[in-house]
Amino acid sequence: MTVTFLVTGHVQGVGFRAHVRYSAEGLGLVGEVWNRRDGSVEGWAAGAPEALSMFETKLREGPGRVDGVATAPSPERAADRFTVGPTQ
């Protein structure tokens, strides 16, 4: 299963992307996370549905101030690990 996510709030410059990668790796997920120019953080993650549910909880707990987390099902993508990408 693959989902996209968008996290809003004060989530840049606080180690949020590193938190996302660490959380995803700990749950056995693959995917990517990046900053957006509007100050939010976006990405996608793939793995078991139970792990993705726990991942969403971790997104809400992240460093900084999380105002909102939106997730949506996404087409499958190929990856062998979880990476931090450049700002988009």
Side-chain angles (χ1 to χ4, degrees), residues 1-87:
M1 178 176 191
T2 302
V3 298
T4 58
F5 58 88
L6 179 66
V7 183
T8 58
H10 179 68
V11 290
Q12 289 190 16
V14 295
F16 194 85
R17 290 177 301 159
H19 163 75
V20 171
R21 186 182 69 203
Y22 179 78
S23 297
E25 290 173 343
L27 293 166
L29 302 175
V30 298
E32 185 177 13
V33 62
W34 57 87
N35 284 338
R36 291 173 41 127
R37 286 180 171 70
D38 67 2
S40 62
V41 170
E42 184 177 19
W44 66 273
E50 301 81 19
L52 289 168
S53 178
M54 289 186 273
F55 179 65
E56 185 174 346
T57 299
K58 296 285 188 184
L59 293 176
R60 294 180 187 285
E61 297 171 350
R65 185 193 75 245
V66 176
D67 292 337
V69 175
T71 61
S74 177
E76 296 296 318
R77 302 182 194 198
D80 60 357
R81 61 192 173 110
F82 202 96
T83 60
V84 176
T87 298

